[in-house]
Amino acid sequence: MTMTPEQAAWFQGTFTRLVDNVDRAVQGKRDVVGLVLASMLAEGHVLLEDAPGTGKTSLAKALAATVQGTSTRIQFTPDLLPSDVTGVTIYDQNTHTFEFHKGPVFASIVLADEINRASPKTQSALLEVMEESRVTVDGTAHEAGRPFLVIATQNPIEQAGTYKLPEAQLDRFLIKTSIGYPDLDVTAAILAGAAERNPSAKLTPMITTSAVADMADLAAAAHVEPAVLRYIAELVQATRADPAIRLGVSVRGALAMVRIAKVWAAAQGRHYVLPDDVKALARPVWMHRLLLDPEAEFAGTTAETVLARVAEQVPAPQARTAA
């Protein structure tokens, strides 16, 4: 069933109210909040590359409070074990049975702080739950539930003692973005409320987690013209053919674009996706999936310039509004 115009209008109003609520705790970053919320509704995950103290934890807590969900924070360190993330099975001597104790990954929103400081083995503990929304321990699968969003962070400045995320793991994140520092006026407003240590604690829940799952299902019903799907495929193909690129956008990356473009269109009050939605989302969805040729990178080429070049080369279709 395709989304109706009336459903799209409701989706837009609800999406705006959710962003407004989170913005009360994470001030001046509506664009980032909208992207993260869209990722959650597209049932994907977010990688934040930011300096310390920019509000990453506040964003996770505020989003969880807004959707009446739970939030956990995992501080990734070199000695962190996979079982510290997923949980462990313990033998109960009273009942003579094995009981699974859930790890911090079982929450609506999981903040994986400084994910690149943990060993690759521990990093990989997140792969199954990010892709399948479940954890398998001792042959038994445990569902993570809906909604489920991993917000992983890494510090772009301090690289000593870190383990670079491999391309296969980067590809698991729906978007990569950054919060960044607020402007002067927002900074002054934040300082005026410095006495409030946890602004997300005062947020009013706006929606239930089950309603969030319903919104995700509704967004998935947004219409995408075949011409727009071909446009996405042509953009992906162009990234692979670019001489500055060693590894272009994967099929998973193309599917990720379709999923979040549907949410983005519904958030604008439309029940259909436009090529402009794809253009607006290309940087956060695809930039971290591109692997540059070392010589091109040394010459100053960036993933952003490649995406801009590809967007100019591939003509956008004149898509119809909807079926």
Side-chain angles (χ1 to χ4, degrees), residues 187-212:
T187 300
I190 293 173
L191 295 178
E196 181 58 56
R197 298 283 296 177
N198 184 17
S200 61
K202 292 187 176 181
L203 294 183
T204 303
M206 303 295 294
I207 195 172
T208 63
T209 52
S210 61
V212 171

Side-chain angles (χ1 to χ4, degrees), residues 20-252:
D20 288 342
N21 201 55
V22 176
D23 188 58
R24 292 170 54 197
V26 186
Q27 300 178 43
K29 298 296 179 181
R30 291 184 60 86
D31 291 344
V32 177
V33 172
L35 275 174
V36 174
L37 179 58
S39 298
M40 181 172 69
L41 293 174
E43 299 189 294
H45 306 286
V46 177
L47 178 62
L48 292 179
E49 190 170 78
D50 244 325
T54 52
K56 300 181 288 292
T57 303
S58 297
L59 173 59
K61 288 183 177 180
L63 195 55
T66 297
V67 302
Q68 287 188 340
T70 57
S71 67
T72 56
R73 178 178 179 272
I74 309 172
Q75 182 63 54
F76 278 67
T77 56
D79 60 346
L80 192 73
L81 299 175
S83 58
D84 295 330
V85 176
T86 59
V88 63
T89 301
I90 298 177
Y91 182 73
D92 190 332
Q93 293 184 347
N94 294 324
T95 61
H96 303 289
T97 58
F98 286 94
E99 183 179 352
F100 177 66
H101 291 248
K102 293 183 177 180
V105 77
F106 288 91
S108 304
I109 299 172
V110 179
L111 179 65
D113 208 7
E114 295 188 293
I115 187 175
N116 55 333
R117 291 203 176 277
S119 67
K121 183 177 182 179
T122 301
Q123 291 176 9
S124 66
L126 280 174
L127 290 182
E128 181 189 11
V129 67
M130 287 174 62
E131 189 71 16
E132 307 291 342
S133 293
R134 67 182 181 185
V135 171
T136 302
V137 178
D138 295 332
T140 302
H142 306 273
E143 299 295 327
R146 297 176 71 194
F148 174 66
L149 171 68
V150 173
I151 302 178
T153 74
Q154 57 182 3
N155 187 341
I157 305 300
E158 299 177 2
Q159 297 299 321
T162 63
Y163 301 86
K164 184 180 178 181
L165 297 180
E167 283 69 27
Q169 189 163 339
L170 284 172
D171 202 36
R172 305 278 178 169
F173 290 98
L174 183 64
I175 68 167
K176 177 184 176 182
T177 186
S178 62
I179 297 177
Y181 293 116
D183 59 30
L184 180 61
D185 293 336
V186 174
T187 300
I190 293 173
L191 295 178
E196 181 58 56
R197 298 283 296 177
N198 184 17
S200 61
K202 292 187 176 181
L203 294 183
T204 303
M206 303 295 294
I207 195 172
T208 63
T209 52
S210 61
V212 171
D214 291 340
M215 286 184 70
D217 292 337
L218 180 61
H223 179 73
V224 188
E225 279 283 313
V228 176
L229 292 175
R230 185 170 183 83
Y231 176 57
I232 294 173
E234 289 174 347
L235 288 172
V236 167
Q237 191 68 32
T239 65
R240 300 170 187 165
D242 193 283
I245 296 296
R246 287 181 58 197
L247 184 66
V249 177
S250 65
V251 175
R252 182 188 285 119

